[in-house]
Amino acid sequence: MPQREPLTAPLLGALFVVAALVACWLVLAVENLAQGGAGALGGFATEGIAFPPPFGVPVVGQLLSGEHAAWSWAGLLLAGPAAALAVGLGAHLLAEVVGAPAWLRVLAFETFAIAWLRLPLLIVAAGIPGGSGPLATLYERLGEPESGRWAAIGLGLLALWGIARLVGSRAVAVGRSWQRVDGLGFRRRLVRLLAGYPFAIASAAFVFERS
């Protein structure tokens, strides 16, 4: 039986970008829905779910006015990132354990990569004046202490270094079992294709979230 020609790097990169776009939508949807559910449990009034353009990511309308306990605010603002981290990691590990088809394993990996690479960006945003995102809002609720800005930025950069290494190692594991080849050059290219593009998409999603 003749072997199929392997896909070229540009074509693989394009397919990974498409998978990353889908994964990014899923991550943002999980974050928003989890935040809405936590807000409802914490006593925040809910106004239903909307799908605003241009991407149609579901958003739970909530009234943030009124007096709420500190735990309610913490649950509201931290539930989204926590749920995205859990769903991303769970989807990736499940796809690997059951030996899912290659396209599903790639989609699960992209979901994992974007969910986890977004976390350092959210932490850094908390330390930047005018930053947005759930952690920035929580920092604002704490009174925006000036002394904590550099600590938040440093923590975010440290988290980015550690998470990037984790994502890179998982990218090699996924690609090596899929392609059945190895080598330093292959690993570097694979990390760029599987992990570099998701990081770029996650950064773009973060910018869209601020706009």
Side-chain angles (χ1 to χ4, degrees):
M1 183 176 180
Q3 290 186 330
R4 294 181 299 175
E5 289 293 325
L7 298 178
T8 62
L11 181 56
L12 281 173
L15 293 175
F16 293 154
V17 166
V18 173
L21 287 170
V22 176
C24 187
W25 190 96
L26 292 173
V27 168
L28 293 175
V30 167
E31 284 189 6
N32 292 341
L33 293 176
Q35 178 175 323
L41 293 175
F44 293 88
T46 302
E47 299 179 328
I49 301 177
F51 298 85
F55 304 115
V57 179
V59 176
V60 179
Q62 290 180 314
L63 296 177
L64 304 182
S65 58
E67 294 294 330
H68 298 280
W71 67 268
S72 297
W73 280 107
L76 172 72
L77 298 173
L78 298 179
L85 292 176
V87 169
L89 180 61
H92 171 55
L93 294 179
L94 180 62
E96 293 301 306
V97 168
V98 302
W103 67 269
L104 187 56
R105 293 172 61 197
V106 169
L107 179 59
F109 171 81
E110 303 292 6
T111 304
F112 157 73
I114 290 177
W116 282 70
L117 287 171
R118 270 177 57 82
L119 179 62
L121 299 180
L122 295 175
I123 297 175
V124 170
I128 298 177
S132 65
L135 300 186
T137 304
L138 181 60
Y139 187 79
E140 179 183 354
R141 288 284 166 180
L142 294 175
E144 295 186 293
E146 197 66 31
S147 60
R149 291 196 183 280
W150 287 109
I153 293 174
L155 178 61
L157 294 177
L158 181 62
L160 177 60
W161 175 80
I163 290 175
R165 288 179 61 89
L166 172 63
V167 171
S169 67
R170 295 310 306 162
V172 171
V174 171
R176 183 168 51 198
S177 60
W178 181 24
Q179 298 282 2
R180 304 297 183 185
V181 294
D182 201 357
L184 182 59
F186 168 77
R187 292 188 180 195
R188 288 176 175 174
R189 176 176 293 185
L190 183 63
V191 170
R192 288 197 299 267
L193 289 175
L194 264 174
Y197 286 121
F199 179 76
I201 297 299
S203 300
F206 175 69
V207 173
F208 290 143
E209 183 185 51
R210 294 186 59 185
S211 59

